[in-house]
Amino acid sequence: MANIVDQVSLGAIVQVRDRLLDQQAKGRKILRLESGDPSFDIPAHAREAMEKALRDGQTHYTASTGIPALRQAIHRKVTTENKLEVPGPDNVIVTNGGMNGLYIIFRALLDPGDEVILPNPMWTEIAENIRLAGGVPVPVRLRAEEGYLYAPADIEAAITARTRAIFINTPHNPTGMVVRRKTMEEIAAIAEKHNLLLVSDEAYEHVIFDGEEHVAIGSLPAAKGRTITVHSLSKTYAMSGLRLGYVIATDDLILMRLKKLVRCTINGVNSVTQYGAAAAINGPQDATLAMAAEYQARRDILFAGLEKSPYVKAFKPSGAFYMWASISPDWPGYQGKTDDWSMTNYLIDQAGIGSAPGSAFGPDNEGYIRFAFSCSTDQVRAAAELLPSVLQAAKA
Ligand SMILES: Cc1ncc(COP(=O)(O)O)c(C=O)c1O
């Protein structure tokens, strides 16, 4: 019997990770460039707040939308830093990571058959969560020759009578492109003109390089009242395993639905994590800035390494910690349409280097490969040194 969940994959990156860990268990040195998990420790003040919460016995159910101290901290942060107009902490819903936020957002917004426009390539889980809610993902191509930037005209051309929302992600996984204010304004104007909602995934808002600015689309006049924003502490504070994200919504009906969904799914995030999150948001932000600087250094190391190989052409990201590269058909290991898996498989087998195949990021992305540089600088350096010669050594 078919079930909507059958439309969801188990995830290519999970498969790569399992194989790498298997090799590691057999004593092989592996380089974890397959997934976006920060190598850093969480900020010291977040750790201390969690230790204190444990000592104070803060281990009981919390309000399902989050403890007041955290929702207040988030409200302050999104109004001052992201410049969102949000009436109060009641518009903040604390979620079990950004992933859980995305799940409840699409579940709250979509009726069966409703369409959501999203970029292609895109992190797989976006389309999967749209499908889980009965919706239809409508991918709009980002083009290498345009620096993978959103093309507002292409977005507008994809709108149909069934379109409910436009999904935006900046900095973008998997290309690392950062959307500039002018493009955001154009997209917000399109949403206003066609009376569409905007779902803005800002998981990488603090992983941004070269002095680029992160613009929260919800802060733009045309986007006000029609934007639902999802954030994550996974990348900003390296709190990936602690599972904390949040959703901001201002529409009363959507907010009510989100609250019901949280109550009936997670019924609140781990209490101890919430105290750590409040401390992280309220405390000094120097750890976040230092991480971004280190990611930028890793980006430069990896980019320089890939530039030495004629078989991959990498895009230099302005944010997030991913390098998206096209695979040359001249690569001796090239195997046509399935090529992204052949390079991913080859790199695991020959060098213990992780990557993610392009096909994991939406339709027609075979021929691309994604390297993550969130693992340690030493691992990134080792991979950058190895990659040109390993790729060269492939046999047809
Ligand atoms: C684009 C994007 N959004 C959201 C997330 C959510 O992360 P988490 O569930 O750890 O908060 C991720 C994680 O990799 C991501 O890449």
Side-chain angles (χ1 to χ4, degrees), residues 97-99 102 122-123 169 173 201 203-204 232 234-235 243 322:
M99 180 83 93
L102 289 161
M122 189 58 232
W123 189 50
N169 169 230
N173 178 9
D201 178 338
Y204 298 93
S232 167
S234 294
K235 325 290 175 178
R243 311 304 303 133
Y322 305 106

Side-chain angles (χ1 to χ4, degrees), residues 35-37 95-102 122-126 167-174 201-204 230-235 239-241 243-246 320-322 361 370:
S35 60
D37 190 1
T95 58
N96 194 32
M99 180 83 93
N100 173 229
L102 289 161
M122 189 58 232
W123 189 50
T124 333
E125 281 74 354
I126 306 299
F167 172 86
I168 299 293
N169 169 230
T170 178
H172 177 244
N173 178 9
D201 178 338
E202 305 183 20
Y204 298 93
V230 57
H231 299 256
S232 167
L233 271 63
S234 294
K235 325 290 175 178
M239 287 174 68
S240 46
R243 311 304 303 133
L244 199 130
Y246 55 92
F321 33 53
Y322 305 106
F361 300 93
R370 188 197 77 173

Side-chain angles (χ1 to χ4, degrees), residues 172-331:
H172 177 244
N173 178 9
T175 67
M177 83 52 194
V178 170
V179 189
R180 298 250 169 90
R181 187 174 288 277
K182 186 172 168 291
T183 306
M184 289 292 222
E185 282 167 356
E186 286 170 25
I187 297 171
I190 291 170
E192 189 180 40
K193 180 173 153 198
H194 297 271
N195 195 20
L196 300 175
L197 294 168
L198 288 159
V199 177
S200 177
D201 178 338
E202 305 183 20
Y204 298 93
E205 64 181 314
H206 297 110
V207 186
I208 193 154
F209 314 134
D210 309 322
E212 286 285 343
E213 178 199 20
H214 171 71
V215 180
I217 197 162
S219 68
L220 304 177
K224 261 184 209 134
R226 63 177 69 255
T227 307
I228 301 102
T229 315
V230 57
H231 299 256
S232 167
L233 271 63
S234 294
K235 325 290 175 178
T236 297
Y237 301 111
M239 287 174 68
S240 46
L242 295 168
R243 311 304 303 133
L244 199 130
Y246 55 92
V247 173
I248 308 292
T250 49
D251 179 274
D252 286 341
L253 178 62
I254 291 172
L255 194 61
M256 184 52 69
R257 289 181 187 163
L258 292 170
K259 287 179 181 176
K260 290 178 185 173
L261 282 160
V262 152
R263 180 176 69 80
C264 293
T265 53
I266 58 168
N267 196 25
V269 170
N270 177 314
S271 55
V272 172
T273 292
Q274 293 191 57
Y275 285 89
I281 293 170
N282 282 334
Q285 303 298 305
D286 44 349
T288 298
L289 293 171
M291 284 190 258
E294 189 68 24
Y295 288 132
Q296 184 170 326
R298 291 176 190 176
R299 173 200 67 174
D300 294 342
I301 293 168
L302 185 60
F303 190 75
L306 291 178
E307 267 199 316
K308 291 192 191 122
S309 173
Y311 300 123
V312 282
K313 189 165 173 14
F315 173 72
K316 196 172 197 176
S318 307
F321 33 53
Y322 305 106
M323 206 162 283
W324 183 248
S326 59
I327 301 169
S328 161
D330 297 338
W331 180 53

Side-chain angles (χ1 to χ4, degrees), residues 83-127:
K83 311 271 187 298
L84 300 182
E85 236 175 62
V86 183
D90 193 47
N91 298 87
V92 177
I93 310 248
V94 177
T95 58
N96 194 32
M99 180 83 93
N100 173 229
L102 289 161
Y103 175 77
I104 62 168
I105 288 173
F106 292 123
R107 191 73 191 77
L109 297 189
L110 304 181
D111 284 326
D114 280 352
E115 296 173 2
V116 180
I117 295 173
L118 73 165
N120 181 25
M122 189 58 232
W123 189 50
T124 333
E125 281 74 354
I126 306 299

